Amino acid sequence: MNNLFNNYDSENDEKLDKKFKYNYQVIKNVYPQVSELPEDEVREIIRKYYDATGTHEDSMQAVMDYIHEKEPEWKRLYFKDEEQSQQDLSDPFRELKEAIINFEDTPDYPYIDKVGNITTCVGNLDEDFEEFASHPWRIRDTGRLATRQEKWMAYQNLLAAKKPNYRAYYYKDKTNLSIPMDYCKQLLDEGIKSRDSELRKGIPNYDKMSQNMKNALLETHYTSNILPWPHLKDGARGLDQEYLCGELERDTTGRPDLVERNAWAKEQCLKGYFIK
């Protein structure tokens, strides 16, 4: 199989192979595009295999039925055709969005993040019920728009189910709500543009940074408010790239998920440059 020679299609392919091993290889043999999916989606495919009763063939049929059902959604969110690839070339935040989606995953259900915030789509924090209720939540089985009362019940169920440092998947069955993936992409676009505007106003020489460097600051700002960080501002003000990049490190105490994100942000920052 593919991994015998470490001939991976991408970094994500390698990551999934190391995470799920033989289970992933079995799925990839029948559906190669699985290498383009985020971890939670692959986990759900594997779950379908083990939830099925009967022979191996029965389990694989359950997997293929599930893939057939989900593929239109995956194509919109994860798979790029040639036209979409051309559109991406004009989007300076494309690489950043892909990284954030990979780090955050994109559940179509509401969940609580690792620090206890009710969250929608790609790490979008809902500060209160009104913000939560503003999203176009639908009832998962029927697809109809949820009423305000149904959103309120779901919100309360999430609060009651809160567990520290649990992955998003834990909350999938805590409510019966789902949300359109196109809306999640729109929400991510708006979130990045909003943060880009904040950094443009609050970080010295932000407009003199290359896109890689901006991406590094934006990804860090997505999880942490970097505007009050004085040493980071000193590095930006002095056009000191090495100093600036070193100041992007977030505290990982109790947040092992930030280790990989810190490494990505620093790599992006050091690949960039100041435009002088």
Side-chain angles (χ1 to χ4, degrees), residues 26 39-40 54 62-63 66 89 169 184 188 209 221 230 235 250 257 264:
V26 170
E39 182 178 314
D40 276 0
V63 164
Y66 178 74
L89 293 176
Y169 187 82
C184 287
L188 178 59
M209 298 178 189
H221 193 45
R250 286 155 287 191
D257 57 302
W264 185 89

Side-chain angles (χ1 to χ4, degrees), residues 112-119 159 162-165 171:
I112 295 180
D113 71 7
K114 293 190 175 184
V115 294
N117 301 301
I118 289 183
T119 309
L159 292 176
K162 182 186 294 188
K163 296 285 186 180
N165 288 318
Y171 298 95

